[in-house]
Amino acid sequence: DQRRLERRTAALNHAQAGLERMTRELRQANWVYFTSSQVVDAEVMVRQDPTSSAVKRHVRFECNTGACWRYEGPAVPFPPPAVSAIDYSTIMLGSRPGDPDGVGQVIGHDVFLPKKVSTTTGDTSVDYLDPDMLYIRLRLAVKGLNQPLEIADGVSLRNTTRFAP
């Protein structure tokens, strides 16, 4: 029981930290491009180190291989190319398949869900072309737990100026 609790706590802490970074960067994005419910590209202001000024960078979040990867490269025009230069990549959430000490595998195919909010009713509907917000839902299969660990958050896309499917 203690080992299972430790795995759950580690997975939850890891997921919260990764989700917070994702939501912060997407909330501040200049543009967002949704390839699918597993891949989103954005132009984000990034500091290379704590003392430097922020610069525009192309950031891609890809959650389709048991983990959510964050790719970063030089700024690109909108819409981003299918293949672009990558200077840096890291696993934001989950772990590589087969990693016995990993913090859980990202499961499911519905991670990024862009939505439009009705100004009259407040109801939301899925909208990949002109969303107002982005719902992020992460499910992690953690060794020793019977049910997946789920964490979710919503992002207001208030700074974005362009969207595309």
PDB file of all heavy atoms in Angstrom, residues 35-51:
ATOM      1  N   THR A  35      -3.202  20.343 -34.602  1.00  0.00           N
ATOM      2  CA  THR A  35      -3.070  19.295 -35.604  1.00  0.00           C
ATOM      3  C   THR A  35      -4.082  18.192 -35.331  1.00  0.00           C
ATOM      4  O   THR A  35      -4.679  17.648 -36.239  1.00  0.00           O
ATOM      5  CB  THR A  35      -1.644  18.711 -35.591  1.00  0.00           C
ATOM      6  OG1 THR A  35      -0.727  19.767 -35.832  1.00  0.00           O
ATOM      7  CG2 THR A  35      -1.470  17.637 -36.634  1.00  0.00           C
ATOM      8  N   SER A  36      -4.265  17.871 -34.065  1.00  0.00           N
ATOM      9  CA  SER A  36      -5.223  16.847 -33.638  1.00  0.00           C
ATOM     10  C   SER A  36      -5.489  17.058 -32.150  1.00  0.00           C
ATOM     11  O   SER A  36      -5.005  18.014 -31.552  1.00  0.00           O
ATOM     12  CB  SER A  36      -4.647  15.446 -33.878  1.00  0.00           C
ATOM     13  OG  SER A  36      -3.585  15.190 -32.976  1.00  0.00           O
ATOM     14  N   SER A  37      -6.228  16.139 -31.559  1.00  0.00           N
ATOM     15  CA  SER A  37      -6.477  16.235 -30.121  1.00  0.00           C
ATOM     16  C   SER A  37      -5.271  15.765 -29.315  1.00  0.00           C
ATOM     17  O   SER A  37      -5.312  15.748 -28.093  1.00  0.00           O
ATOM     18  CB  SER A  37      -7.713  15.422 -29.740  1.00  0.00           C
ATOM     19  OG  SER A  37      -7.496  14.057 -30.017  1.00  0.00           O
ATOM     20  N   GLN A  38      -4.177  15.411 -29.999  1.00  0.00           N
ATOM     21  CA  GLN A  38      -2.949  14.990 -29.338  1.00  0.00           C
ATOM     22  C   GLN A  38      -1.760  15.907 -29.620  1.00  0.00           C
ATOM     23  O   GLN A  38      -0.733  15.781 -28.970  1.00  0.00           O
ATOM     24  CB  GLN A  38      -2.571  13.580 -29.784  1.00  0.00           C
ATOM     25  CG  GLN A  38      -3.600  12.541 -29.405  1.00  0.00           C
ATOM     26  CD  GLN A  38      -3.256  11.210 -30.021  1.00  0.00           C
ATOM     27  OE1 GLN A  38      -2.998  11.123 -31.221  1.00  0.00           O
ATOM     28  NE2 GLN A  38      -3.239  10.180 -29.206  1.00  0.00           N
ATOM     29  N   VAL A  39      -1.893  16.797 -30.596  1.00  0.00           N
ATOM     30  CA  VAL A  39      -0.766  17.644 -30.996  1.00  0.00           C
ATOM     31  C   VAL A  39      -1.223  19.094 -31.126  1.00  0.00           C
ATOM     32  O   VAL A  39      -2.200  19.377 -31.812  1.00  0.00           O
ATOM     33  CB  VAL A  39      -0.159  17.180 -32.345  1.00  0.00           C
ATOM     34  CG1 VAL A  39       1.001  18.074 -32.746  1.00  0.00           C
ATOM     35  CG2 VAL A  39       0.269  15.727 -32.269  1.00  0.00           C
ATOM     36  N   VAL A  40      -0.501  19.994 -30.465  1.00  0.00           N
ATOM     37  CA  VAL A  40      -0.796  21.420 -30.581  1.00  0.00           C
ATOM     38  C   VAL A  40       0.532  22.174 -30.714  1.00  0.00           C
ATOM     39  O   VAL A  40       1.506  21.872 -30.027  1.00  0.00           O
ATOM     40  CB  VAL A  40      -1.632  21.943 -29.383  1.00  0.00           C
ATOM     41  CG1 VAL A  40      -0.906  21.788 -28.071  1.00  0.00           C
ATOM     42  CG2 VAL A  40      -2.048  23.383 -29.582  1.00  0.00           C
ATOM     43  N   ASP A  41       0.570  23.120 -31.662  1.00  0.00           N
ATOM     44  CA  ASP A  41       1.732  23.987 -31.874  1.00  0.00           C
ATOM     45  C   ASP A  41       1.370  25.389 -31.411  1.00  0.00           C
ATOM     46  O   ASP A  41       0.209  25.793 -31.510  1.00  0.00           O
ATOM     47  CB  ASP A  41       2.093  24.054 -33.365  1.00  0.00           C
ATOM     48  CG  ASP A  41       2.647  22.754 -33.877  1.00  0.00           C
ATOM     49  OD1 ASP A  41       3.854  22.539 -33.720  1.00  0.00           O
ATOM     50  OD2 ASP A  41       1.871  21.960 -34.438  1.00  0.00           O
ATOM     51  N   ALA A  42       2.381  26.131 -30.961  1.00  0.00           N
ATOM     52  CA  ALA A  42       2.137  27.499 -30.515  1.00  0.00           C
ATOM     53  C   ALA A  42       3.413  28.329 -30.662  1.00  0.00           C
ATOM     54  O   ALA A  42       4.523  27.795 -30.667  1.00  0.00           O
ATOM     55  CB  ALA A  42       1.694  27.515 -29.054  1.00  0.00           C
ATOM     56  N   GLU A  43       3.202  29.639 -30.802  1.00  0.00           N
ATOM     57  CA  GLU A  43       4.324  30.572 -30.731  1.00  0.00           C
ATOM     58  C   GLU A  43       4.306  31.151 -29.318  1.00  0.00           C
ATOM     59  O   GLU A  43       3.325  31.769 -28.909  1.00  0.00           O
ATOM     60  CB  GLU A  43       4.184  31.688 -31.751  1.00  0.00           C
ATOM     61  CG  GLU A  43       5.366  32.655 -31.704  1.00  0.00           C
ATOM     62  CD  GLU A  43       5.228  33.748 -32.725  1.00  0.00           C
ATOM     63  OE1 GLU A  43       4.463  34.701 -32.462  1.00  0.00           O
ATOM     64  OE2 GLU A  43       5.886  33.653 -33.777  1.00  0.00           O
ATOM     65  N   VAL A  44       5.392  30.910 -28.602  1.00  0.00           N
ATOM     66  CA  VAL A  44       5.452  31.243 -27.181  1.00  0.00           C
ATOM     67  C   VAL A  44       6.706  32.063 -26.889  1.00  0.00           C
ATOM     68  O   VAL A  44       7.750  31.839 -27.499  1.00  0.00           O
ATOM     69  CB  VAL A  44       5.483  29.939 -26.341  1.00  0.00           C
ATOM     70  CG1 VAL A  44       5.566  30.233 -24.869  1.00  0.00           C
ATOM     71  CG2 VAL A  44       4.278  29.077 -26.648  1.00  0.00           C
ATOM     72  N   MET A  45       6.583  33.010 -25.987  1.00  0.00           N
ATOM     73  CA  MET A  45       7.757  33.746 -25.508  1.00  0.00           C
ATOM     74  C   MET A  45       8.447  32.887 -24.448  1.00  0.00           C
ATOM     75  O   MET A  45       7.828  32.495 -23.459  1.00  0.00           O
ATOM     76  CB  MET A  45       7.346  35.088 -24.912  1.00  0.00           C
ATOM     77  CG  MET A  45       6.677  36.026 -25.904  1.00  0.00           C
ATOM     78  SD  MET A  45       7.737  36.485 -27.296  1.00  0.00           S
ATOM     79  CE  MET A  45       8.872  37.602 -26.483  1.00  0.00           C
ATOM     80  N   VAL A  46       9.736  32.565 -24.682  1.00  0.00           N
ATOM     81  CA  VAL A  46      10.478  31.659 -23.802  1.00  0.00           C
ATOM     82  C   VAL A  46      11.786  32.313 -23.381  1.00  0.00           C
ATOM     83  O   VAL A  46      12.481  32.913 -24.206  1.00  0.00           O
ATOM     84  CB  VAL A  46      10.775  30.327 -24.532  1.00  0.00           C
ATOM     85  CG1 VAL A  46      11.612  29.397 -23.669  1.00  0.00           C
ATOM     86  CG2 VAL A  46       9.486  29.644 -24.955  1.00  0.00           C
ATOM     87  N   ARG A  47      12.128  32.164 -22.124  1.00  0.00           N
ATOM     88  CA  ARG A  47      13.440  32.592 -21.623  1.00  0.00           C
ATOM     89  C   ARG A  47      14.381  31.398 -21.698  1.00  0.00           C
ATOM     90  O   ARG A  47      14.061  30.333 -21.184  1.00  0.00           O
ATOM     91  CB  ARG A  47      13.356  33.053 -20.175  1.00  0.00           C
ATOM     92  CG  ARG A  47      12.617  34.341 -19.986  1.00  0.00           C
ATOM     93  CD  ARG A  47      12.635  34.709 -18.493  1.00  0.00           C
ATOM     94  NE  ARG A  47      11.760  35.825 -18.244  1.00  0.00           N
ATOM     95  CZ  ARG A  47      12.154  37.090 -18.276  1.00  0.00           C
ATOM     96  NH1 ARG A  47      13.408  37.371 -18.523  1.00  0.00           N
ATOM     97  NH2 ARG A  47      11.296  38.054 -18.047  1.00  0.00           N
ATOM     98  N   GLN A  48      15.534  31.594 -22.312  1.00  0.00           N
ATOM     99  CA  GLN A  48      16.502  30.503 -22.415  1.00  0.00           C
ATOM    100  C   GLN A  48      17.169  30.224 -21.073  1.00  0.00           C
ATOM    101  O   GLN A  48      17.584  29.115 -20.803  1.00  0.00           O
ATOM    102  CB  GLN A  48      17.546  30.813 -23.493  1.00  0.00           C
ATOM    103  CG  GLN A  48      16.940  30.967 -24.877  1.00  0.00           C
ATOM    104  CD  GLN A  48      16.157  29.748 -25.324  1.00  0.00           C
ATOM    105  OE1 GLN A  48      16.600  28.626 -25.174  1.00  0.00           O
ATOM    106  NE2 GLN A  48      14.952  29.971 -25.835  1.00  0.00           N
ATOM    107  N   ASP A  49      17.278  31.254 -20.248  1.00  0.00           N
ATOM    108  CA  ASP A  49      17.771  31.094 -18.878  1.00  0.00           C
ATOM    109  C   ASP A  49      17.142  32.206 -18.041  1.00  0.00           C
ATOM    110  O   ASP A  49      16.598  33.168 -18.590  1.00  0.00           O
ATOM    111  CB  ASP A  49      19.303  31.121 -18.814  1.00  0.00           C
ATOM    112  CG  ASP A  49      19.914  32.409 -19.315  1.00  0.00           C
ATOM    113  OD1 ASP A  49      19.683  33.456 -18.676  1.00  0.00           O
ATOM    114  OD2 ASP A  49      20.624  32.374 -20.338  1.00  0.00           O
ATOM    115  N   PRO A  50      17.209  32.110 -16.719  1.00  0.00           N
ATOM    116  CA  PRO A  50      16.499  33.073 -15.865  1.00  0.00           C
ATOM    117  C   PRO A  50      16.914  34.535 -16.038  1.00  0.00           C
ATOM    118  O   PRO A  50      16.147  35.432 -15.725  1.00  0.00           O
ATOM    119  CB  PRO A  50      16.814  32.591 -14.451  1.00  0.00           C
ATOM    120  CG  PRO A  50      17.163  31.157 -14.598  1.00  0.00           C
ATOM    121  CD  PRO A  50      17.803  31.019 -15.944  1.00  0.00           C
ATOM    122  N   THR A  51      18.110  34.793 -16.544  1.00  0.00           N
ATOM    123  CA  THR A  51      18.572  36.181 -16.657  1.00  0.00           C
ATOM    124  C   THR A  51      18.399  36.770 -18.054  1.00  0.00           C
ATOM    125  O   THR A  51      18.633  37.957 -18.247  1.00  0.00           O
ATOM    126  CB  THR A  51      20.054  36.279 -16.258  1.00  0.00           C
ATOM    127  OG1 THR A  51      20.834  35.448 -17.137  1.00  0.00           O
ATOM    128  CG2 THR A  51      20.261  35.825 -14.814  1.00  0.00           C
TER     129      THR A  51
END
